[in-house]
Structure formats: structure tokens, C-alpha cells
Amino acid sequence: MDRNEIFRLLEQFSQGELKKEEVVDHISSLGLEELGFATIDTDRTNRTGIPEVIYSAGKTPQQVADIAERMSKRGIPVMATRATREMFDAVHAVIPGAIYHEMARAIVYQNEKPQTSEKYIAVVSAGTSDMPVSEEAAITAEFLGARVERIYDVGVAGIHRLFHRMELIKGASVVVVVAGMEGALASVVGGLVDIPVIGVPCSAGYGANFGGVSALLSMLNSCASGVSVVNIDNGFGAACQAFLIVKSMQG
Amino acid sequence: MDRNEIFRLLEQFSQGELKKEEVVDHISSLGLEELGFATIDTDRTNRTGIPEVIYSAGKTPQQVADIAERMSKRGIPVMATRATREMFDAVHAVIPGAIYHEMARAIVYQNEKPQTSEKYIAVVSAGTSDMPVSEEAAITAEFLGARVERIYDVGVAGIHRLFHRMELIKGASVVVVVAGMEGALASVVGGLVDIPVIGVPCSAGYGANFGGVSALLSMLNSCASGVSVVNIDNGFGAACQAFLIVKSMQG
Amino acid sequence: MDRNEIFRLLEQFSQGELKKEEVVDHISSLGLEELGFATIDTDRTNRTGIPEVIYSAGKTPQQVADIAERMSKRGIPVMATRATREMFDAVHAVIPGAIYHEMARAIVYQNEKPQTSEKYIAVVSAGTSDMPVSEEAAITAEFLGARVERIYDVGVAGIHRLFHRMELIKGASVVVVVAGMEGALASVVGGLVDIPVIGVPCSAGYGANFGGVSALLSMLNSCASGVSVVNIDNGFGAACQAFLIVKSMQG
Amino acid sequence: MDRNEIFRLLEQFSQGELKKEEVVDHISSLGLEELGFATIDTDRTNRTGIPEVIYSAGKTPQQVADIAERMSKRGIPVMATRATREMFDAVHAVIPGAIYHEMARAIVYQNEKPQTSEKYIAVVSAGTSDMPVSEEAAITAEFLGARVERIYDVGVAGIHRLFHRMELIKGASVVVVVAGMEGALASVVGGLVDIPVIGVPCSAGYGANFGGVSALLSMLNSCASGVSVVNIDNGFGAACQAFLIVKSMQG
Amino acid sequence: MDRNEIFRLLEQFSQGELKKEEVVDHISSLGLEELGFATIDTDRTNRTGIPEVIYSAGKTPQQVADIAERMSKRGIPVMATRATREMFDAVHAVIPGAIYHEMARAIVYQNEKPQTSEKYIAVVSAGTSDMPVSEEAAITAEFLGARVERIYDVGVAGIHRLFHRMELIKGASVVVVVAGMEGALASVVGGLVDIPVIGVPCSAGYGANFGGVSALLSMLNSCASGVSVVNIDNGFGAACQAFLIVKSMQG
Amino acid sequence: MDRNEIFRLLEQFSQGELKKEEVVDHISSLGLEELGFATIDTDRTNRTGIPEVIYSAGKTPQQVADIAERMSKRGIPVMATRATREMFDAVHAVIPGAIYHEMARAIVYQNEKPQTSEKYIAVVSAGTSDMPVSEEAAITAEFLGARVERIYDVGVAGIHRLFHRMELIKGASVVVVVAGMEGALASVVGGLVDIPVIGVPCSAGYGANFGGVSALLSMLNSCASGVSVVNIDNGFGAACQAFLIVKSMQG
Amino acid sequence: MDRNEIFRLLEQFSQGELKKEEVVDHISSLGLEELGFATIDTDRTNRTGIPEVIYSAGKTPQQVADIAERMSKRGIPVMATRATREMFDAVHAVIPGAIYHEMARAIVYQNEKPQTSEKYIAVVSAGTSDMPVSEEAAITAEFLGARVERIYDVGVAGIHRLFHRMELIKGASVVVVVAGMEGALASVVGGLVDIPVIGVPCSAGYGANFGGVSALLSMLNSCASGVSVVNIDNGFGAACQAFLIVKSMQG
Amino acid sequence: MDRNEIFRLLEQFSQGELKKEEVVDHISSLGLEELGFATIDTDRTNRTGIPEVIYSAGKTPQQVADIAERMSKRGIPVMATRATREMFDAVHAVIPGAIYHEMARAIVYQNEKPQTSEKYIAVVSAGTSDMPVSEEAAITAEFLGARVERIYDVGVAGIHRLFHRMELIKGASVVVVVAGMEGALASVVGGLVDIPVIGVPCSAGYGANFGGVSALLSMLNSCASGVSVVNIDNGFGAACQAFLIVKSMQG
């Protein structure tokens, strides 16, 4: 709870601008707005640096469109992850300016492009089957206002491809490494850079990859010491943390 | 491979300072020194920002002491994690200035204290049983040169304890959250701050915590969007990544 | 086996109202009625306080309708969980008064509304993706005769939303907490109330949530001491136990 | 946050009894007391109905004794679970009135016996190997002030033993069923009573019981509808919830 | 390798009825017939007491029909498990006398009904959702020549239903118990009879039943001592072993 | 419940030999005797064909001795599985005739040797590391009165060893196959005999055998159709079921 | 990095054929060619002995065709695994000479048949349900240039089928054993031959086979000492390693 | 079964050198010798190329010594894996020439050194904690007669260490890669060589490495196509397969 806010309320109370009941109500409902089927978290951007983003899986196209419309009307930039084209069509009908990133499965609408950071995030992927997740990470980071450099298809089966791009990777402020199968790329990159590495294990594969568990365990057990990990296929989450790191460096 | 280094070598070669064979040898063995039973990574600090640290589990006290002594003789600062008191006694016999952090199970020896950063890392823990891991994180971060603030025993069973310390947490550059059992603390903190949160799941508990898997899955599935995770009980790894974030903000 | 019932049978036997064979038959088949493909448990409500409820998954619409019709003809109130609209259409054709709760995926038919309890159950959910399970819990509790208060979408990513509703939650006799992802809400609520909390882990999510295992383990390892747990997505079971608690308090 | 408490503080503030700074401090630190290595939750009993209990596993005897002594000096009743006899000796040295329940592995000290409830909890166990957990449940419930009836060694391998004790079980307000191996007892009891059943899966067994997972899954998948479950071997947690149910029925 | 067969071959060899090469060939290919895409095990019935049965899952209707036709032409009785109606249509087109057991998902064709044993197998099931597996067991046993008594829907949620049928169960030579969810029925029956009990765990259920793992672990950990277990949903395998037991008692 | 017993009680009641209260008491406590810390199942042999056997793991030597002494005084034959030599010493002090089978970790005491069956059980093991489990099976079967033939160390790494002993195996009434590692022996034997095969997976091994899970899954998925399985290392349970099969064939 | 290549470059540099910048560029991009959405590994055959093969799962038919076309234009032989007929149609439209192996789910195009080795690989399978994987192995090995002998449907349920074919198996240079269910065939073959055995666990089966985990664990725990294992259903990978073995023996 | 052997026996039979009974006995017991507690596989070397090796885990020192002595007396070379020093002392007492490789935990005794192959096996390890397994592999390969080159401590955290040794690795006939933690080294090496790679996952590590499962899954899911895998920590098995490959190349 914000001490300054309480100070301000007490100030108003002691000057008779607020009644006792009003102070009680204010204190207990700071930053909250009750809707029909949802309780909107109106100050999430202020609090966590990242606005609410619609997780579309399990929602109907109409539901996604309704939420997107309401957000856009309040001037909140709109992003919907894990969105199908059918969902996009529904959103596009109410927000004509919305854009669909097919590979990333993401719908984006921003009234004005965010000012892009000078510092950049390197999104590095092991193979082409990891692209939906890599692109979700890249598009999310760009939506939040970060500059992104994509270095794709440089997995360890042909490791010289990675070395060829190392200078671009080393110049980044943070690296997001997306890899399925055995996920070795996160460790290899982590052993070569002096910046934070966020690993995103991918579910692409079969058999004993167990839907991404193989890459997840690889990254959690990385022998490189500066690597942390997010959920399987969670390109969105990796981008959020990468953005927070870049944002703090900006100033 | 460092392009500048190759340029420099070619320069010397074209000026006759190096013979062809010497250039070939230099290029193929940059930053490497072969020992008896180990291949020392002499430029790990330059490359990754973090020096080699001794992982003591499974080593004999004598082995730990031997490695520590060799490193200290080269002027490399020494840290050994997961070290027992018996290991410390062996190290202390050869490096009288070494210090043992009992709770953190860490041996540390630094010729000169590193210059501490102004920015700080908040190490937040859920309970007292998480202290060995929390302290491993804190001691590691301090060893690397970061300022640390400890906020311990503020788990969600008594969540007002956390709120009382939120200002200190919000002032940090990055938060390391250490929690066992259900690991809910990482999500709660992640929903309240606009800085990166690194979760460290702890193995403390019994039954269906499965040696820390419960907290690990909680943190990987955090509903807060800026949370990443390291291996169970890996306070060391979390501190490394947190340090890289603070370091990049410094300069 | 009911001692009073045996007493009564012996009474009748000693007064010649029942023959020996009749007593033997009665004693060995108390409360049971054999049908074609099922053995109906006619006194389940008397015995356990909760009538038989149709678990529709894996049944054909016709089968659901047949069972519902037979139960309604005996005057037993009808509830079918995990029911599709197609199943409802089949039921509705034979029981015109039946109602379909789409979100809860439940068919309900009660000749007369049960008398609603004064005490109430708080059904608290973390997010909108948990609604099918939350509603299954709420509808089940109401079907059994409990008053229900719904407090939805108050997960820990924006924890002030929960605090705003705490008074309503604290006034309940028992709390059912429905949460997917990391399931942290059960612990947070459990640390704030002095009434029983029943956690329902949800399968909503992806990757390392493993179909609800993440939330299940979180709730089983809750650091709050008054929390028990039911199966993943089992809103029905949580409501049954919550109802038994409320019922015992009533009388 | 307690609205009445805020009202009271504002009252004092408006009457000049408290300065603005004092109100701010009070509001932000209600019910909390900072110690050296721990943050004591001083109003846990008021908030959750259950005082802090010492989880001894992983602590030294000295640490257990220190915490116990501090609590007893504040007049808080002391209970330590998972305690060894060595721990008890340390506690007994500083709290001579402390009692050790060997089978339950629990240390208890209460200045005055709590008033025992009229309603009772039935603790039902499947076999003698479940006794440490059954007794932990029974002793905890008695410590909190509940009356307990023990019905032990009535597992389904000889199910008539259970039937012989059903009247005592049916007279309870809530049943705690403790069972290892296949944990079938929880379902059997749940199908015979109209009161809440809390299952405690036990780790006793070998091979494919996987340290209690077998019984845990059995209880989570119980075909009886009023059964909820706590962590493996968590007799303490089951007793806490059972006590909350009995307490609410009392008054 | 059959010593008598070798004796007989040597007899023929010493009497000049077989050449040396013929003896070598015979010895090395006893009981085997090579086809195009399969190696038919022509003496499986002689060797194991049970003929080859077609496991249809993953085969096309045409493939199932081809194999069935070839077997029926050799006079081998035909059974196909896990067969769809589409598969049956294909079989029926080539073997008009074939019968489809829809609930059991089994195709059967026998030129002449096998002589049914006097001794019988009791197939006991917990609920109606277990019927596909129970019927697979019952139909398989009847196909092999065993008499079967079906006792369905007598699970432990209403355990008096089981007791009412115990005499029929106790009169069997072996009991096959089919149960999903927590699978407690196998232990309860095992504790009441002095004949072998074969448990068949069922996959019916959701959440933490993990596709039948819950019932599988329950049955493996049964506290009753005469219970063995087959694979999840393997009604066929349980019937085979039950038949071998009945067969050995017959003769 | 035994219908004959009820008949007999009613007979006595109608002839005035029993009072009504006595009949009620008798009916509700048939075959049961309450002790201090245990509820003895006095008619388990009558009911299930197998007497109570002491599972010693987790008991103190004194407890094992106490139970053994009490059973021997009632004339019940005594067997204790998973017993250490220390436990045997305690038992031997009170039952001088008790015998310790070291390899099988079993204590046995029988006043008179049971009459051994003509039919025999073949106990087949894959390797010498499976001997504790093989011997537990063999000793248990002999204790119950079955004749046993041991065929040890004939695993598939040298499969001709098995073939050399096939005649002895084929002559048995039932085969118990004990195997660790990949447990292939159960399938190989199951494909060669026309009698029931009970597989006992062993925990011997390391790494990805996961304490016997490897062999357990192998046996559950056996391609041979007459194989059932018991818990990992459960030689006792396999012997019990094998004995019930032999017993039924005898009479 | 290839020392000879560096020597050659330095030679050219010292003779003025290359400028310093050109040497730097060459050294840092040896064997690599950047495309739009992929980074082609142009010298994989030279480096690893096996060309790039298209893993089709998760790709659109158009994507598969595009990659295949590009490769064929460069004269690289084309193989696509896990390909549907729809994918083949797309490939066939652009490469008329392409062939579809339906059972193996593989598309193959080779301008000229590779010279087939004299040494051969034995591909041995347990049953007909393993054929897609067996054929993937066989077709891959033939594509790479190895001679293959297929020995199918010789699983341990009828082990004499295997013995009949042992001479052909023993004559191979390496054996690939494909088996689902309990995967016992790999151990049996491993115990009979003195050549390397590569096991391929198959996912065919149900219940506790857990999608091939059962066979995977069996093969990893093989009691035969010369057996190694690849991923579940990975016929391709087994063929690659088998080919490398044969290739090294050739020359 | 060896056709030549049968031919020879028939030859002797037809010439009257053997009686019919003798032929039958010979045929059914080829290559087998029955001992007290074990069935010795006397022709394992002839059959599989690798002699019996003693797996010492779970055996007493005396048992290991007994087996070793018996083997040495028959002139069979002796190797015991997973042996403690205490076991070695027992062996040394009866075989004075036996040698103990402490790091490899292996006892070896060979009357005459085997002729070492010209071709060599490269044993490559990621770190020093993998040495017991690496050395088990190296010592085993040398015992069998292969030349071994050790390349230790070249894991991906400092990948230039690996590149420095690539020429030695590339010159091998087969590579054994030993790695714990995330096991990435197997993929990296597999992507750089054109010879077979056998991965040995190591259990060294903690938390989510789950006793080596992390490295096991990594290696099974390797993106490099010529990699196969053995059980966790199974240096012995990897060496056996590697030896078979080298052996076949020799001649």
C-alpha cells in the first residue's frame, strides 16, 4: 500500500476535504475497478511496468474482441497472445487498426508506436520449429517498446552458425534464447556472454521430449551461471522480463 | 572468436613478429590453459562477467582446498559453494584469510573487497527454512560486488509482513525471491513490482513437494509476467543473473 | 449396518410378522435396488447427505437423458455435471423443466427449490479461465441448498482486488478457492481467514502446468494450515464438502 | 486490512491522540513484529484461528528450544511437530512443563488446558504403520481444543473392523482418515457418512507407493463426493482444518 | 525346445527317414511360418493356451479384415480387440458370421462355440464408466471358453451393493475386478475372498487420475495380499490369465 | 456377511438361547477382536485363505517380537517379512523355535510343518541381485503350504540358461518370475508356457531403472497375454496369489 | 575450426591474394550461408557424414516443398521424415522424381542412387505395429547408402521366430532393434550377438506404456552390455548412427 | 542355436560316437554350467564379444571376491564395476595381481594385457564431477582391449576448451561423451564429427537434474543425428558398445 497516497488522504481528511467514511473506502479500494465478469487491474502498468495482456487460449473470438474493444476504448494498448486468425477477424471488426502477427499468433493494436529503446534484446532461436515462440517473444518485446534483434536457426547441430552472429548477440542488453529438443543452445550462449540470458524451452519435438520438459530441464540445469528460465513456450513471459531489464538500464 | 584478436594476430604476422605456425596455434587456443585433471577457463570473467566458482558437492576437502589454493595464487577471488565446515578447515589451512559463511555453506576469499554497487539486489525469502538458499544468494551477490538487502521470513501465510517491507523491495534493481513449499511468494512479489523478479524454488518441505518440484512448477507458472526461475535451491545462479542485471545498469 | 434397523427387524421376527428367510434377505439387502445395467444406491442422500449426481463425461446424450428421466420420476432432484449442450437437449426433451448452466456445464432439475441456508459459501476464483470450474462449484452448492457468494478474478497478479473483497470472504462459513497456473490464491486466502478453505486446482494453462499438476502441488503444499484440496477441476467435489460443513453448522 | 482498526485510528487522529506519522506507521505495520532472523506473525491466531506451530524438521534442537522458549514467554501455547527426542530434551531444559508425544513426534506446552469442545473429531487409521501420522493429527486437534476419538487399524483388508466402529465415526462432526498403501479407506468411509471427510495419505509402504503418491492419488480421485485431501503425512494440516470446522459449529 | 520333438527327429534320422540337412532345418524352425509382412506364430495356442488375438488399434479396417480372414480360413477362432464398428463392417464383409460386441469393442468369430467351463470367472466392476473394459474382459473369457458372471456397478461409494453380491463372487474360481478413479474395489474384494483377484485399473476419470495411473498404483499397493494387476484398461489380459487359472482347475 | 452365521444366530434367538441384544452384538462384531493398539482380524485365514503376516519395516524389534509372541500363543503360524537379524533375535528370545531366512529377510515359526502340495510353484529369477525377492516369494509359498521349485539366474542376457530349465518350469501350476533391470524375463517366460505367470519387478539397478519402475512398466506392458504383476519387490504378494491358485487346483 | 583451412588462408594472405579484411571474414564465416528464415548448414555432410534432413512435423506442405526444392536445386539429396501424403503431393509438384514411402512416412529424392555398402544393417522389429518406425529406419539407412536386411515381427511373445532368423542378424555389422510395449527384444538380441545393437523404443501401445516410456526404460536398463538407445520412435536417428558405424568399417 | 554345432553332433551320432540321449543332452545344454547359486554363462565372450563382468553394487566384499577368484581360476579376465576399496581388499587377498582403479571404482585383473587396438575411442567429459563415470568408461574400454584417449573437463560453459581438442576427437573411431547437468556436450560434439557418438548422462548435480534425468533427456533429444545413449552413469555399457564398434573396424 502506497504510503504517500495514505499521507495525501489523511491530509485531505484533516482539512475536512474528505469524510472519515470516504477515507476508509479510498484506502481499501485503491487501484481497482469492478466489472461484470472480471475485476480490472487498472494500474497494472504503473505497478508492474507491463499492461494487462489478453491470454486468448480457451476464450471465444467474441470474448477476445469484447475485452480488446473495452481496453482500446480506455486508451490502453492492446495485445492478445495465442490468438487464432478467427479471433483476429473478430477483433479487427471492432478495432480496424489491429494487426495480426500470424507466426507469433499475436494480435496487436497501439494507438501510437511506443518510443523504441536504444538498447536491444537479442532473440536467439535454435531452429525453425521454434519460430512461433521466438516471434511471440520478439513481437511482445517490440509491443512493450524494446528494440529487438532476431538471430534465428543457429542451434548447436551447426554451431558455427551461432559463432558467426556472436557480435550482434554480445551487443545486446539481454538475450532471450528459444530452443526445443535438448535446449543446449541456452547453455552455449550463456557460456559466451556477460549479459543476462533468459531461456525459453520449446515443446517442439516428440517422444522423450515430453512436450518441452527435456528443454526445460536442460535450461534449469545449465552449467552456465547467468541463465534463468520461463515456462515452456512462454515467449511472452521472457519478453516481459527482458523488457524490464532494458527499461531499468534506460534510466 | 574475437575478431579484434584475430586482426591483431594478423598484424603481427604481416609484420613478421609471428610465424605462420604461431598464428595458427594462437588462434586455435585462445583463452585456455591445460592442467592435469582439469582444463582451466582462464578468461571466464572477461567472457561472462563471473569468475569460476567451486561447486564443492562431491569433492573431498582436499580437492576443494587444492583448487582454492591454486586460484588464490593466481589472484583470482575464491568462492566455494555447498561447502562443509570440514572443507573450510582444509581451505583455511592454506588460505588463512578465507571466511566461512555457515548458513550459506560458502567459503569466500577476496584479496580486496570488491567495490560495492550503489544499486542493490533485494533477496526476499518466505521462511526460515529457506535461509541456506537465501544466504547463498546474498553471499554470492556480495562476493560479485553487488549491494544486497535481505528481507526474510515474509511468506504469504502472513502476507502483511511482506507489505510492511514493500518500499525496500520496490527500491531494488532486481528481486531474488526464495521460497519452498508452494512458492507463492514469487507471484505475489511479481504482481507488485516493476523490476525483474528471479524465483529460486526451495527443496524444504515434505511429501508432495517432491524435493522442490512444487515450488519450481509454481514459479514457472506464475501469473505475474516478469518472473523467471532458476534450478531448485540454486541461490548461486539467481545471484549471478541478478548481478549481471545490476552490473549492466551501473555502466 | 444400521443397528436400529436390525432391532426393528428382530422385533418383527419375534412377533411373527417376518419369517426367518425374510429377515435374512432384508438384512443382506438394506438400501439397494438392482436395475439392468446399474445398481442404484437408493439411500445415498440419507447416508452421505448428497444425492447421486450424473457424471456425464463418456456417456451418450441418450444415456444421460435416460438416467435423468428415471431419477426425476422417482422424485430425486437431478444434476448432471460435465454435460454438453447436446446432452442438455436430450434431457430437456424428457424433462421440460430442466435448466442448462452453460458456463458450469451442468444440467439441473429440481421440482422445488431447496430451502437456501443462511450461512454461505464463498467461491473465490483467480481468473476468468477458471470460471467453468468456479461455476460448477457454485451451481452444485446451490443445487444442494447452500447460499453462495461469488468473488471472481481476484488472483495474486493484482492482489489488491482480493483485499477489497475480504470482508465478504471472511463472513462465509467455508471458502472454496479455484485457481489454475501456480494456484497461489489458496495459500493467500488461507493465511487471511479463520474458516476452512477448500482448494480446487484448475487445469487452465500450458507447458509446465502439466494439466493442473502445478496448482495441485501448490495447494497440497500450502504454507497456510487450514487448507485441504480436491482433484484438479473438481468444482463439484469441493462444493459437496463445503455443503456438508455448512449443513452441520445449520443444525 | 481491518476496517474497524482503521476507523479507530482515524478517530484517535481526529481527536489529536495520534499524529499523522503515527497513523501512517500504525496502518502499515498492523500485527507484525520484527525479530533478528524472523518476522513474527503476532496475530495469526486472531486472523486464522490457529497459532504459529514450530515445524522442527531441518532445525537444530537449540533452534527449536529458542523459538519455543520465546513463544512460551509471551504466553503463546507451544507446539512443535516432527520433533525428535533430542529436540524435546532441549525444550524441556527451558520449559520444564513441556510434554513429548513420542508416537506423534510432537512437543506440546500449554499453560492451561484448552476448554475441550463437546463435538468431536474422529481420527480413523488404516493400519499401525500409519500411527505417527494419526497421532500427529490427534494430538494437534487436542492441542487446538477439539475432542478426539481414535479409531485405529480398521483398514479395508479386514473391512468388518471398520463397520464395527461406524456408530462412533458417524457421531463425529468431521472425520480425518489416515491411510497409506492404496488409501482405499478414505473412499469407503466417505461413502458411509454425511459429514466432511479429510484424507491424509501416508508414505508408509514401498515400491510403487512412491512415498505416499499412491494413497494421495487414490484420495484425490475418491468416488465418494465429500472427501478432501491434505499433503502426504500432513496429520497436522488435517487436524487444523478439522478444528476450524468443529469450532465454527460450536458457536 | 521340445525334447520329445528332438527325440522323434533323431529317431527318423537314424532310420533314414530324414536326411541330416532336414533334421537341421526342422530343429531350427519348429513351429513357425513366414508370411509377407508378418511371421505367424502357428502354435501359440499349443504353447501358451491362448490363440493369437488381433490388437486392432492403429490398424486400418482393411488390415484387420485381412488378418481375420486369413485366420478364419485356417480354422483359427478369430477375436479382434479395440475394434471400431468400421473395422467390424470390413470383417463382416469377408466373415459373415462375425459378431460385434459394441460395448466391449470386440469382433468375435468362432466356428463352433467352445465348451463352456463349469467353474466361472466373476467380473466385478466399480461403475458404469468401466463397462467397455469389463465387457472386454467378459467377452474375452467367454471366447476362450470360460463361464463368466458379471457383477457390475458395485463400487465402494455404495459398498452395500457389493456385499449383496458377495456369495456369487465367492463362488467363482477367480475374480477380475475392474475399477477406475481410486480403484479401491480391488482391495475391498481382495480382503473378502480366498480366491485369486486380478485387478484391471481403468483410465476413466480426469485430473489427477492421470489416465488410470491412480487406479493402477492403488491396485499395486493393495493391502489385500492375493491381488495382482494388469495394464490400464487391459480387460483382455486379465481375462487371459483368469482363463488359464480356470483351465488348470478343470483338468 | 455370512448368511449361514445369521441363520444360526436367528435359530438360537428363536429358541431362546440368545437374547435380542446378544444377537445384535454378535451380528455387528462377527470375526473381530479389539486389542490395545490394534484391531486383530481373527478370521483372515478363513476369509482369504492367508493368515495375517507381520510386515516388519518401520517396526521396532520389540514390536515385532510382541506381535509374533501373541500370534504364536493363539496357535497362529507366524511369519514376519522384511525382518532384520536384530528383529529375529528379539523374536527368538520369546519363540525359541523361530527360524530366520537371511536371504529372504523372513522370520518363520510353524508349530507343525504344513502339508506340502503335490502341485508346485516355479520361482524363476533373472539374476543373483534379485535373490532377496525371489527367496521372499519362495519362503512365503512354502510357509503357506505350497511346493516350490527354484530356477535362479536365468535372465535373458544368456537366454539358453532359461531354455535348459524349461521343462521344470512348464511342469509347474503357476510361475512367479522375479526380474529387475528391464524385466524382460517375464515376457519371455509368458510366451513359452500355458500356465499363469505372475511378474515381480525388482528394484535392483541404478539410474533410469527408477527403483524398479523400469521392470514394473515392462511387465505391465508384456506382449505375452497371461502375465499379471505385483508391486515392486513384493515377493510376498506374488507367493500369496500363486498359493491361492495352487490351493484351488488341489481341491 | 579447420586448421588446414586457416593455413591455406594465411598462405593466400602472405602471398597477397587475400586482404586482411577478407581473411577475417573468411575465418569467421566458414561453412555457412544465410537465407531469409533459415541459416543453412552447407557443409553438414562433410562435417558429420550425414546431410540435412527435413523434419516435417509442424511444417506446412508448402514449407516442406520449398525447402526440398531449394536443396534439390543445389544438388543435395533430399529426405523428409514424418511427412504426410499431402506434403508429398506438394513436393512432387516441384520435384517430379520424388518418391513417397507411405509406411515410413518419408519423402526421398536422390539424383543418383548412392553406392550401396557391402556390409549391412539388420533392422529387427518386434511386431507389425512397429512398422512405421522400422521402415523409417530402413529407408533412412538406404537413403544414406547402407545395405539393409529387414527382419520383422519376431518379438519375444513367440521367440522361436527370432531364433529362426539369427544367422541373418549375426551377419550384420550393426543391429537396429525396434520394439514397443515392454521392448524386451533389444535385450534378447543384445545377449545373442557380438555386434553393436541400437534400440529404438516405440510408442505403440496404451495405458502404462506412457507413449513409449516403458520400452525406453527397458532398453536403457538392458542387461545385455552392448545396447544403446535413441529417442522414442526415432528410427531416423538409429539409422544415422548405424550408417556411421557401417561407413567407418567400409573404409 | 549354432547350426554348425548341431551338424557336428549329428555327425558324431551317425558315426556312433554319441548315443541318442547324449545328443539330446548336448543340444539342450550348449554353453552353460550350473553352479550352486548361479548359472554361469561360459560362452558369453564367444557369443557377445564381451566377457561377464561383476556388477558389485549390493554384493558383499566376500561375494565379489568369491566370484572373482572362480573366474580367475578359469582363466577368464576379471573386472568388477562399482566396487569399493573394501571389496578390492577382499579380492586382492585371493588375487594378488588385481589392481584397483579408485576413481573408476573398478577392480581389474588380466593375466596378460590384451593387445591394444590401433583405432582409439575418445572419452570426452564435461566436468570433473563426471570423472568416476568417465574413468569407468575408459578403464572398461582398455580392459576389453581398446586404445583410449581421455579429453576431460571441456564442457560447454567454456566451449573453446572443446574446440582446442577437436582434432584428437575427430581422429577417433567412436566418441563416448560423458556429461551431467544439462548434458549439452553430446549434442555439440555430435554436430562436429562424422563418427558415432555414445552419450552417457551423469547423475551429478542437484534439484531439477533429478538424478541424471535432465542429461538423459537432453541426449535422447539431441538435435545432432548420430547420437545414441546408455543408462545414467553407465560408463561400462558405453565402453562395451564403443569396443564392439572398434573391434568390427579392426577386422
Side-chain angles (χ1 to χ4, degrees), chain G residues 24-180:
Chain G
V24 171
D25 281 355
H26 268 83
I27 288 180
S28 54
S29 70
L30 286 172
L32 179 111
E33 186 167 335
E34 197 76 37
L35 284 178
F37 67 95
T39 311
I40 292 196
D41 187 354
T42 53
D43 73 337
R44 188 168 293 185
T45 307
N46 289 338
R47 207 173 64 242
T48 71
I50 294 169
E52 280 213 74
V53 165
I54 306 166
Y55 172 69
S56 311
K59 294 199 174 63
T60 64
Q62 196 52 47
Q63 288 176 317
V64 175
D66 284 354
I67 302 171
E69 188 179 18
R70 193 167 340 107
M71 290 174 77
S72 89
K73 280 188 176 157
R74 288 163 188 277
I76 304 174
V78 174
M79 181 170 192
T81 61
R82 314 243 161 180
T84 62
R85 177 160 285 280
E86 198 189 356
M87 288 171 181
F88 171 66
D89 293 341
V91 171
H92 193 255
V94 294
I95 311 179
I99 293 169
Y100 187 52
H101 297 274
E102 184 140 28
M103 183 57 86
R105 300 162 305 169
I107 300 165
V108 169
Y109 175 70
Q110 282 170 301
N111 224 341
E112 44 187 313
K113 215 41 203 255
Q115 197 180 347
T116 299
S117 66
E118 204 179 336
K119 308 265 185 187
Y120 63 90
I121 297 166
V123 177
V124 179
S125 84
T128 52
S129 62
D130 305 325
M131 276 192 72
V133 178
S134 313
E135 277 298 297
E136 185 181 279
I139 295 293
T140 299
E142 289 171 348
F143 168 78
L144 295 172
R147 182 154 74 88
V148 172
E149 294 289 342
R150 290 160 169 84
I151 298 106
Y152 287 178
D153 198 15
V154 295
V156 300
I159 204 167
H160 56 300
R161 300 177 298 187
L162 174 68
F163 293 141
H164 188 54
R165 312 292 296 276
M166 275 314 295
E167 266 173 285
L168 185 59
I169 296 172
K170 284 182 168 172
S173 296
V174 54
V175 190
V176 172
V177 176
V178 180

Side-chain angles (χ1 to χ4, degrees), chain D residues 80-95:
Chain D
T81 61
R82 314 243 160 178
T84 61
R85 177 160 284 281
E86 199 190 354
M87 288 171 181
F88 172 67
D89 292 341
V91 171
H92 193 255
V94 294
I95 312 180

Side-chain angles (χ1 to χ4, degrees), chain B residues 143-200:
Chain B
F143 168 78
L144 296 171
R147 182 154 74 91
V148 172
E149 293 288 342
R150 291 160 169 84
I151 298 105
Y152 286 179
D153 197 16
V154 295
V156 300
I159 204 167
H160 56 299
R161 299 176 298 185
L162 174 68
F163 293 141
H164 187 55
R165 311 292 296 277
M166 275 315 296
E167 267 174 284
L168 185 59
I169 296 172
K170 284 182 170 174
S173 295
V174 53
V175 189
V176 172
V177 175
V178 181
M181 302 178 92
E182 89 281 61
L185 189 60
S187 292
V188 171
V189 171
L192 293 169
V193 301
D194 66 347
I195 45 178
V197 172
I198 303 170
V200 189

Side-chain angles (χ1 to χ4, degrees), chain H residues 43-54:
Chain H
D43 74 336
R44 188 169 292 185
T45 308
N46 289 337
R47 207 173 64 244
T48 71
I50 293 168
E52 281 212 74
V53 166
I54 306 166

